[in-house]
Amino acid sequence: MDKDDQAKVSLVGPEEIIGGTITTPQSYAAGISAVKVALEHAMKEMGLKRSIATLTKLNQKEGIDCPGCAWPDPEKRSSLGEFCENGVKAIAEEATAHTVDPDFFKQYSISEISKWTDYKIGKSGRITEPMVLRAGSQHYEPISWEAAFEMIAKQLHSLDHPNEAVFYTSGRSSNEAAFLYGLFARTFGTNNMPDCSNMCHESSGVALTETLGIGKGSASLEDLYEAELVMVIGQNPGTNHPRMLSALEKCKENGGKVITVNPLEEAGLVRFKNPQEISGILGKGTAITDLFLQVKINQDVALINLLIKKLIDKDEKAGGIVDHEFIQRNTQGFEELKQDLEKYSEEELLALCGVPEAEVEKAVQLLVERKKIVICWAMGLTQHKNGVDNIKACVNLLLLKGSIGKKGTGTCPVRGHSNVQGDRTVGITHHVSKKLNEAFRRVFGFDPPEEEGLDVVKSIKAMHEGKAKVFIALGGNFLSAASDTMYTAKALQNCELTVSISTKLNRTHVVTGKTSLILPTLGRTELDIRDGNKRFVTVENSMGRVHRSMGNLIPHSDQLKSEPEIVCQIAQAYFQSNSSIDWEALGKDYDLIRTRISQVFEGFEQYSERSKGAGFDLPNNARMGDFSMLPNGRAQFSVCELPNHQLTSARFLMMTIRSHDQFNTTIYGLDDRYRGVFNERRVLFINPMDAKELGLKKKDVVNLVSNYDGVERIAKNFLIVPYNIPQGNLAAYFPETNVLVPNNHYAAKSQTPISKSIEVDIVKIS
């Protein structure tokens, strides 16, 4: 598109309020209502035949891996269905009967589609053939695969340097596709491989690598069952990882306790009505949380430091609380941590975290009595300026109790996208690894680039400044996922070419570079057949287990290609015959891809065969209690600074959250029934006392304003919802409030945007 056409496009979509209904939040998750909603959604999108065909295979051994979250599957799968409500919604989105064909794009211009909500855009349906938006046009039109690949190759060849291209990866892609994508980027000559993990669990990866020697969690599903205490911090599994509730239920049945730490009390962590149990249908279900600590936004370090300080004091008086033998044998830095904690009084830490002293004492007592501890967390810890320290504080607590490397213990970062962890495992990283580069050199015979690549934040900046001119996305909805929506949109529009390898239409397809391509790919649910043979792909779940996924539905269109095929054919078009890699063979033979992965990465021996059934676990040193790769061969205690939230001009600290009708940027519906919100997404959760002080009543309309470095950002038209949230704190849904998150403020070391602690003001609309 030219500049005039780009100006016609809405960068953020509609900002009008629907109206909605606000009711009392629910006190439990799942139950019959969840089954009802899930089946209604499946029938509406897929119909009876496709619903049965997909749901009976979903998350079963040798079946379809859910394209939603990365929660692991139990060894014994339920015959009633191994899925949750939002898993059904995710699979229905992909297997929908609705399609987006050339006639759709003839009817609707890009500027018109851009004024739709993300919900309406997503509901348009599956893309059926390659489409191109040419410079100066307002309508996508069909393009052949060959012409599309040639267009990409020509644009890549025109660049002055490989670093002018950006290769983004979404966690929905398979190990096979991600490996090939990273291989192509490196052979092209760049490490510009931003990944969706840059925006979510990058803080976890950095912290865990520095403290335990591996950027993944150490706990297994069985460890959760056997834990004496599980701490769930900054996470809402009832909406984001509902099958986790079954694991917590088993923990409770085995005598374990659960402490929940979060600014919001979420229904799923109050009570779980398991729809596969009689007690979940006719009874009250299972009370999940034994102790709820309502911490203020991003004061988790203050709380955890307070807990550790109290545990050390009690141990010095009575003994037997701190695992000194484990600390002496396996760790370093404990004395430095103790000295740092002496700087703070208990009263100071108590005031900062906002948790009542009596509740803190109850938490301390639970920690005193138990040694087998698992700590789970998600974005509530990672998306802050001190996101890395938040995770290190959790590690400190586990090391203090000797709760690493033993059954029933460990770290559990709960990943979002179904294969975001697998993407990183098979080489999607902007960082340079000498070991990895040597492996690529040995297996493929080329010299990988040695220059550090761009992550998400730096990629957006490079595109905005015209230093990156081609943006290619393997899945995802980059514009809606990234921070600082207006800035990111203009960055994309500065590109010469944007390419999306996608299943469905999303907002990134309508806010594009001067030329845009949409390359439609097979989904997880669809048959992938080549030369009469069914092919499968593999994924890695949140706990490091690799297993296969095989679709069973007839593809939406005979024009669809698999992601590995698309990546290989882009590479073929670019290199022609000037490559030592047989891209054509790799695009055809997934077993060959897996063989190459096993030659590059440790732990993938006999890859194809071992991925059958329940799959296989990758090596995990922290799970084994092996810290030999760390300084002095020991796990590291860390000194974690308290966050600095001395609000100046802004009055509130706001966190972005998901509704129950969404997963990441995919909007399934307009309800958030667990929080009592229906048919509306533009809502602002606020403490009733704060609302009263500002003269605001329920459903008053306000704007939200953030101001960083002299740049004012505004999110318009939000309904006030008085809610049980700490005073001075706010919550609202993303992507609607991503416009408030500054692109240049992010976590130290991980560069994860500060989406969970944004300084904002409220402006009432008269």
Side-chain angles (χ1 to χ4, degrees):
M1 290 186 291
D2 60 28
K3 290 185 178 180
D4 289 339
D5 287 312
Q6 287 183 335
K8 298 175 185 175
V9 172
S10 171
L11 303 183
V12 296
E15 298 175 289
E16 293 80 25
I17 289 173
I18 299 173
T21 301
I22 311 299
T23 64
T24 303
Q26 287 192 6
S27 58
Y28 69 90
I32 284 296
S33 59
V35 175
K36 179 176 179 291
V37 169
L39 293 179
E40 286 176 349
H41 201 92
M43 292 297 293
K44 179 180 178 181
E45 295 292 333
M46 299 186 288
L48 179 61
K49 185 177 179 180
R50 291 173 72 85
S51 294
I52 294 173
T54 54
L55 297 184
T56 55
K57 293 290 185 180
L58 188 57
N59 292 323
Q60 298 295 336
K61 296 176 183 177
E62 306 300 308
I64 306 164
D65 185 69
C66 180
C69 78
W71 189 252
D73 305 309
E75 178 64 32
K76 184 179 180 181
R77 314 291 164 90
S78 170
S79 58
L80 295 177
E82 191 58 54
F83 49 78
C84 65
E85 174 189 339
N86 276 1
V88 174
K89 292 174 181 176
I91 212 77
E93 286 289 304
E94 180 181 294
T96 179
H98 304 294
T99 58
V100 173
D101 57 18
D103 288 339
F104 172 93
F105 286 112
K106 284 183 181 179
Q107 182 177 359
Y108 300 111
S109 69
I110 295 305
S111 59
E112 182 176 357
I113 298 172
S114 74
K115 295 176 177 62
W116 297 354
T117 63
D118 284 58
Y119 171 64
K120 183 176 180 179
I121 292 174
K123 288 297 181 183
S124 300
R126 287 288 300 277
I127 303 164
T128 60
E129 58 186 278
M131 305 298 295
V132 61
L133 180 68
R134 301 185 188 278
S137 175
Q138 274 280 305
H139 292 265
Y140 276 98
E141 60 188 67
I143 185 174
S144 70
W145 280 106
E146 293 76 13
F149 294 140
E150 183 180 342
M151 181 180 290
I152 297 170
K154 182 178 180 181
Q155 192 65 56
L156 290 176
H157 277 295
S158 73
L159 299 177
D160 293 330
H161 192 280
N163 285 341
E164 291 182 339
V166 170
F167 297 87
Y168 172 75
T169 314
S170 160
R172 188 191 58 80
S173 60
S174 65
N175 283 346
E176 291 77 6
F179 175 75
L180 293 172
Y181 198 55
L183 177 62
F184 174 59
R186 289 181 174 91
T187 55
F188 174 69
T190 185
N191 285 311
N192 288 352
M193 286 178 273
D195 180 54
C196 62
S197 63
N198 297 154
M199 296 182 275
C200 55
H201 268 292
E202 192 73 31
S203 297
S204 300
V206 171
L208 293 174
T209 298
E210 292 185 356
T211 57
L212 301 177
I214 185 170
K216 304 179 182 181
S218 65
S220 68
L221 195 55
E222 291 71 25
D223 288 327
L224 274 175
Y225 300 160
E226 298 180 25
E228 296 172 342
L229 176 65
V230 176
M231 298 183 71
V232 182
I233 309 180
Q235 186 195 358
N236 176 20
T239 286
N240 302 329
H241 315 90
R243 288 194 300 153
M244 180 179 172
L245 298 179
S246 298
L248 294 176
E249 184 180 47
K250 287 187 179 181
C251 175
K252 298 296 296 288
E253 290 171 354
N254 292 335
K257 299 290 186 179
V258 176
I259 296 176
T260 297
V261 182
N262 204 47
L264 297 177
E265 186 175 40
E266 304 288 11
L269 287 167
V270 175
R271 185 171 293 276
F272 171 50
K273 291 191 176 184
N274 191 333
Q276 298 193 352
E277 303 289 343
I278 293 297
S279 62
I281 297 174
L282 301 178
K284 295 182 178 179
T286 301
I288 297 296
T289 296
D290 296 282
L291 178 63
F292 172 51
L293 305 181
Q294 190 171 34
V295 68
K296 292 180 181 178
I297 287 176
N298 197 26
Q299 291 297 343
D300 305 275
V301 169
L303 174 61
I304 295 172
N305 278 358
L306 178 59
L307 295 175
I308 293 174
K309 189 176 177 70
K310 284 179 172 290
L311 288 169
I312 292 174
D313 288 346
K314 286 181 177 292
D315 181 76
E316 290 176 348
K317 294 174 182 177
I321 296 170
V322 173
D323 193 335
H324 293 285
E325 181 182 350
F326 175 88
I327 291 171
Q328 186 173 2
R329 185 176 66 250
N330 295 291
T331 76
Q332 70 177 30
F334 181 49
E335 291 304 318
E336 289 83 353
L337 173 63
K338 287 174 63 177
Q339 291 174 16
D340 179 69
L341 293 178
E342 290 174 1
K343 296 190 307 187
Y344 309 106
S345 68
E346 291 188 4
E347 292 75 18
E348 178 185 3
L349 296 174
L350 198 65
L352 286 170
C353 72
V355 179
E357 185 174 12
E359 303 303 294
V360 172
E361 289 296 339
K362 291 177 184 178
V364 170
Q365 191 58 39
L366 286 171
L367 287 162
V368 165
E369 297 167 352
R370 289 160 175 79
K371 295 183 178 179
K372 296 166 68 174
I373 303 168
V374 173
I375 299 183
C376 307
W377 69 85
M379 304 303 93
L381 287 191
T382 63
Q383 293 180 326
H384 305 279
K385 285 189 177 181
N386 68 326
V388 173
D389 270 4
N390 283 337
I391 312 309
K392 286 184 175 181
C394 294
V395 173
N396 283 345
L397 181 54
L398 291 171
L399 292 177
L400 184 84
K401 296 291 294 181
S403 289
I404 294 285
K406 304 171 185 176
K407 289 185 177 180
T409 71
T411 56
C412 185
V414 184
R415 310 281 178 169
H417 261 314
S418 64
N419 197 42
V420 63
Q421 185 161 293
D423 287 354
R424 184 56 59 86
T425 297
V426 298
I428 296 297
T429 175
H430 62 282
H431 297 298
V432 177
S433 163
K434 291 184 179 179
K435 181 180 178 181
L436 181 56
N437 277 4
E438 179 53 40
F440 276 115
R441 190 176 293 113
R442 169 175 48 81
V443 174
F444 293 104
F446 75 98
D447 291 323
E450 300 287 349
E451 182 181 352
E452 185 90 351
L454 302 177
D455 60 11
V456 166
V457 166
K458 289 184 178 178
S459 291
I460 295 170
K461 186 173 186 287
M463 290 188 289
H464 197 275
E465 294 175 351
K467 296 176 181 178
K469 301 174 182 178
V470 174
F471 175 82
I472 303 177
L474 182 63
N477 179 4
F478 188 77
L479 177 58
S480 293
S483 60
D484 211 339
T485 308
M486 299 295 286
Y487 186 90
T488 301
K490 291 173 183 176
L492 289 169
Q493 289 184 327
N494 281 346
C495 291
E496 295 297 324
L497 174 68
T498 51
V499 181
S500 295
I501 302 171
S502 305
T503 55
K504 297 189 67 183
L505 198 65
N506 64 54
R507 187 163 297 282
T508 307
H509 299 145
V510 296
V511 180
T512 70
K514 297 177 178 64
T515 301
S516 173
L517 284 168
I518 304 175
L519 306 182
T521 183
L522 293 170
R524 293 267 181 91
T525 57
E526 291 168 311
L527 286 164
D528 185 353
I529 299 177
R530 177 83 185 202
D531 299 327
N533 297 316
K534 292 183 181 179
R535 300 185 291 189
F536 67 88
V537 294
T538 57
V539 296
E540 179 186 346
N541 68 33
S542 192
M543 293 178 176
R545 176 163 291 185
V546 177
H547 62 94
R548 65 180 59 189
S549 177
M550 182 181 289
N552 66 337
L553 297 180
I554 301 298
H556 275 75
S557 165
D558 59 9
Q559 285 280 304
L560 303 184
K561 290 180 181 287
S562 72
E563 287 181 329
E565 284 178 318
I566 292 171
V567 174
C568 285
Q569 289 177 30
I570 291 173
Q572 281 179 267
Y574 178 79
F575 287 111
Q576 297 294 316
S577 58
N578 301 316
S579 177
S580 61
I581 299 170
D582 191 342
W583 294 102
E584 183 177 3
L586 289 169
K588 292 178 180 178
D589 187 351
Y590 296 177
D591 280 330
L592 179 59
I593 303 172
R594 288 186 281 270
T595 297
R596 295 291 180 263
I597 292 174
S598 70
Q599 293 170 341
V600 173
F601 299 98
E602 297 175 358
F604 284 92
E605 298 79 12
Q606 298 176 306
Y607 188 172
S608 290
E609 184 64 26
R610 291 168 65 211
S611 66
K612 291 180 180 178
F616 62 94
D617 292 321
L618 291 171
N620 190 306
N621 65 281
R623 188 173 293 167
M624 303 301 294
D626 173 17
F627 310 113
S628 58
M629 70 293 299
L630 288 159
N632 298 320
R634 294 170 176 268
Q636 307 291 302
F637 278 98
S638 308
V639 171
C640 302
E641 297 295 328
L642 298 178
N644 180 17
H645 285 303
Q646 303 299 320
L647 301 185
T648 52
S649 60
R651 177 166 180 177
F652 295 95
L653 204 60
M654 189 191 82
M655 61 180 182
T656 63
I657 58 176
R658 300 173 183 169
S659 79
H660 189 61
D661 257 355
Q662 85 180 91
F663 183 77
N664 292 345
T665 61
T666 303
I667 313 300
Y668 302 133
L670 300 178
D671 296 341
D672 191 357
R673 70 176 189 277
Y674 290 169
R675 298 190 183 107
V677 178
F678 296 87
N679 198 41
E680 184 58 80
R681 288 187 53 81
R682 303 189 76 83
V683 296
L684 179 67
F685 298 99
I686 183 173
N687 182 280
M689 296 297 291
D690 285 335
K692 183 178 180 181
E693 187 174 334
L694 293 175
L696 296 170
K697 303 184 297 298
K698 184 169 76 172
K699 299 187 76 171
D700 278 351
V701 181
V702 299
N703 289 342
L704 302 173
V705 181
S706 71
N707 196 317
Y708 286 86
D709 307 310
V711 179
E712 184 178 81
R713 298 169 175 86
I714 302 176
K716 299 178 181 178
N717 298 327
F718 285 77
L719 292 177
I720 287 293
V721 178
Y723 206 80
N724 181 17
I725 186 172
Q727 281 192 264
N729 291 174
L730 306 170
Y733 303 133
F734 73 83
E736 288 83 355
T737 49
N738 285 359
V739 67
L740 297 170
V741 186
N743 183 61
N744 61 333
H745 285 254
Y746 37 75
K749 294 188 177 182
S750 71
Q751 297 205 145
T752 299
I754 58 166
S755 301
K756 289 286 191 284
S757 52
I758 316 157
E759 298 180 9
V760 301
D761 278 313
I762 298 172
V763 178
K764 185 177 181 180
I765 299 175
S766 57

